[in-house]
Amino acid sequence: MTILAAGLAAVTLAVLAARLWWPFDLLTHFRLQYLAAALALLLLAMAAGARPAAVLLVVVLAVHGWAVRDLWLPRGDPPLAADALPLTVFAANVLAENPRPEAVVAAVRDKRPDIVVLVDARGARWREPLARLGALYPQAAPDTWAAAAGPVVILSRFSIRHERLAPRTADRPPYLLTTMTIAGRAVTVVGVHPTSPEPFDGRDSHARNRQLDRLGRHLARIDGPAIVAGDFNTSLWSPHARALLRAAGLRPAAAGFGWHATWPLRPALARVPLDHVLVRGPIAVTDFRSGPPVGSDHLPVAADLRLEKAPADRT
């Protein structure tokens, strides 16, 4: 019992030192699993009278419990006027090799979101599904979306005034940045998919961290409301993801709505939250949910938002 408690405590120390070494950062994504393991071991330690192990496990529980508190605590959204515009954002890493692209089309039709962010809809198999989805939305980006040529596709019911597609490099984040006119406001809507870290090679972890850092600095230079969605290839417990939130003034839409892990699909007990919707400015979140499966190794996510209308747009 003491050995197990000490092992879990050692992992917890590694998580707290995640900025020092990239393998430690990989451990940050399993906070809820550590919490569950510590609780189970604590009950066993108490039953066995193993007091030193129990004390150590209480400390571990406190550390991870504090880290995941935002999953269930009340939100801190700004107060909005009663006529704030409701809108839904749907984001999914659909997987280029997805054997069931029709499931993605069905999920979008079912949820009827106002903004759709699709990651990894690449290759010939996605041309027909994208065409079907494009028929539902008057606006789409990038210009090459119909050819399924980009890493991120954004479909929207709102007018897209500007778009910028950035390819992935080791230092620059792959993203599709658009400016939409929503409720009389210019709203920045970004779809992202940074590099996926490898478990035995730190180069991709370092590349992802640089990409997140550059994205945060870029968004910090853009004024006004923002919505950032996609597969971030990190949980928000990573210090590098936290740095992105701070730099760009972003808030996770999932905060306050419980546990919504998205990858891997199996085993479910190892699932962690890598897909996010982040918001900034006069935007409130009324609901956040994940799923259902769409043939990918990621679950999609959807956020119901309310955007404060521009003063000139109110009636």
Side-chain angles (χ1 to χ4, degrees):
M1 183 61 63
T2 302
I3 293 176
L4 291 175
L8 192 53
V11 170
T12 300
L13 288 175
V15 168
L16 295 176
R19 277 198 172 276
L20 300 181
W21 194 29
W22 65 268
F24 291 171
D25 184 65
L26 295 178
L27 297 174
T28 61
H29 311 319
F30 302 93
R31 291 281 202 166
L32 198 67
Q33 286 88 339
Y34 303 145
L35 191 67
L39 180 58
L41 287 175
L42 176 60
L43 294 175
L44 291 174
M46 293 173 64
R51 181 171 295 181
V55 171
L56 190 57
L57 290 165
V58 167
V59 174
V60 171
L61 272 171
V63 170
H64 296 296
W66 180 258
V68 304
R69 68 194 186 283
D70 290 345
L71 295 177
W72 290 279
L73 287 181
R75 301 185 49 82
D77 285 333
L80 303 182
D83 65 347
L85 179 72
L87 62 105
T88 298
V89 177
F90 175 89
N93 181 332
V94 298
L95 187 66
E97 302 83 21
N98 189 329
R100 297 190 297 117
E102 70 280 358
V104 176
V105 178
V108 172
R109 286 183 180 274
D110 178 63
K111 295 182 182 298
R112 299 184 180 181
D114 300 286
I115 298 171
V116 178
V117 178
L118 300 180
V119 171
D120 206 26
R122 297 179 292 106
R125 74 168 59 229
W126 284 102
R127 288 174 187 157
E128 192 272 337
L130 283 178
R132 291 166 60 193
L133 289 175
L136 303 175
Y137 291 88
Q139 298 284 304
D143 291 337
T144 56
W145 71 272
V152 182
V153 173
I154 295 179
L155 308 172
S156 175
R157 301 192 190 280
F158 306 106
S159 173
I160 297 177
R161 293 165 33 193
H162 166 79
E163 66 177 63
R164 175 184 174 185
L165 178 64
R168 177 185 287 122
T169 70
D171 294 314
R172 297 186 180 276
Y175 63 84
L176 173 59
L177 186 148
T178 66
T179 303
M180 299 185 188
T181 301
I182 308 175
R185 293 181 179 273
V187 180
T188 300
V189 179
V190 187
V192 299
H193 188 209
T195 298
S196 175
E198 294 292 332
F200 304 109
D201 189 338
R203 287 174 294 182
D204 286 340
S205 287
H206 295 312
R208 184 212 58 191
N209 297 342
R210 289 192 296 269
Q211 291 163 4
L212 292 176
D213 178 65
R214 282 184 174 268
L215 179 61
R217 284 186 280 149
H218 187 169
L219 290 173
R221 295 193 297 268
I222 301 174
D223 294 329
I227 301 169
V228 186
D231 173 10
F232 288 70
N233 274 314
T234 180
S235 73
L236 299 183
W237 296 310
S238 165
H240 305 285
R242 289 290 180 185
L244 166 66
L245 297 181
R246 289 192 302 271
L250 295 164
R251 312 186 307 275
F257 294 100
W259 177 245
H260 292 282
T262 58
W263 179 92
L265 205 59
R266 296 180 182 84
L269 290 177
R271 198 176 297 164
V272 293
L274 301 185
D275 301 82
H276 311 287
V277 177
L278 311 177
V279 299
R280 182 182 72 191
I283 298 173
V285 185
T286 58
D287 193 24
F288 185 90
R289 54 206 178 273
S290 58
V294 291
S296 171
D297 57 344
H298 286 248
L299 291 175
V301 294
D304 292 336
L305 312 176
R306 293 176 66 241
L307 171 67
E308 183 86 83
K309 294 181 180 179
D313 202 57
R314 292 176 182 163
T315 57

